[in-house]
Amino acid sequence: MRLVEDLVAQVPGFEDAYECHVFNEHGVLPHLFFWDVVQDTVRSYLGEGDPDGPDWRRVLAFLEEETRRCAPGAIEVIVTSFLYDLPYKGEPGYGIEAHLGPAMKERYLQLRPWYGAEAAGAIRKPKA
């Protein structure tokens, strides 16, 4: 899929994962590949990634641009295999969602509508 090839070409650090997928799967299955993209991006955000691995800021910038383009196959992968798999509150890496660009943030809020309310402080615990 073009999304994966463009990501590998534009964001250094995914080459080894790409080659591994090509070898093991005899090609690249975008949704499966994006599991690695999420994991490597979150590790980079936490400062735990390989120094030669992908930089989370470049990944988010690339995916934001692709989300704006609205290519049907790419949008499906970005939403279901990237945004959907981002960490939830209390999980390591939670907070990366605050750095999503406007197009991805809109899609993210469709998946997790409560996030917008939490971020705005609208969700309060009931009084005991």
Side-chain angles (χ1 to χ4, degrees):
M1 167 172 237
R2 184 173 180 160
L3 174 68
V4 171
E5 293 169 354
D6 288 349
L7 176 66
V8 171
Q10 293 187 31
V11 180
F14 286 119
E15 297 87 358
D16 289 344
Y18 179 81
E19 292 300 322
C20 184
H21 278 265
V22 168
F23 179 79
N24 290 328
E25 307 300 329
H26 306 289
V28 174
L29 303 172
H31 291 280
L32 185 60
F33 181 77
F34 261 77
W35 174 253
D36 288 341
V37 171
V38 171
Q39 302 310 305
D40 288 345
T41 302
V42 170
R43 276 193 287 276
S44 172
Y45 174 73
L46 292 171
E48 300 171 353
D50 179 345
D52 295 325
D55 179 83
W56 65 274
R57 293 169 204 85
R58 289 186 75 174
V59 175
L60 294 186
F62 172 83
L63 295 177
E64 175 67 15
E65 183 61 34
E66 291 300 313
T67 301
R68 288 182 191 163
R69 289 187 187 158
C70 293
I75 288 297
E76 291 170 9
V77 172
I78 292 167
V79 171
T80 62
S81 296
F82 186 81
L83 294 175
Y84 186 79
D85 288 334
L86 288 177
Y88 281 83
K89 189 173 187 175
E91 295 179 338
Y94 182 74
I96 193 172
E97 75 289 337
H99 300 279
L100 298 174
M104 284 203 306
K105 179 73 79 167
E106 181 181 341
R107 303 280 181 158
Y108 183 80
L109 289 173
Q110 291 170 355
L111 292 170
R112 302 180 191 181
W114 62 87
Y115 176 77
E118 285 177 353
I123 294 179
R124 293 187 175 86
K125 293 182 180 178
K127 293 182 181 180

